[in-house]
Amino acid sequence: MRQSRAVRGGSAADLMPAVDASGSAARARQSENQPFFGALALPPNFPFEYSVYQAGFDASWELDVFGGKRRALEAATADWESAIEARNDTMVSLLANWVGPT
């Protein structure tokens, strides 16, 4: 039942937009013996150490033009409901065969 519920959740998520975010930070150090511009003199307060920060955001949404994703959700829902009913049938069978205290 848990597996069918998870599959149904994945099918439902396919209908929603996908969002992705990323970030990174890096610290670098330039050699003081080999400056950026060859033999050019550097200013006295030139930063040989520096940090680079990057952030990204991406969102996408696939349109369900032909209804394949909706049909997949309906099929996953039917499988989930089938698993629930199979559990209920098992419970009825167990209770029908249970002999109480005598």
Side-chain angles (χ1 to χ4, degrees), residues 3-64:
Q3 179 182 1
S4 59
R5 185 182 312 139
V7 169
R8 185 190 180 281
S11 295
D14 283 343
L15 294 172
M16 301 295 169
V19 178
D20 184 32
S22 63
S24 67
R27 183 116 175 112
R29 179 170 173 78
Q30 173 69 26
S31 172
E32 295 178 22
N33 299 322
Q34 183 179 7
F36 286 118
F37 305 108
L40 296 176
L42 294 175
N45 60 352
F46 185 79
F48 287 99
E49 290 186 21
Y50 55 93
S51 299
V52 177
Y53 301 99
Q54 291 181 338
F57 177 79
D58 188 26
S60 64
W61 188 19
E62 182 179 345
L63 295 176
D64 190 19

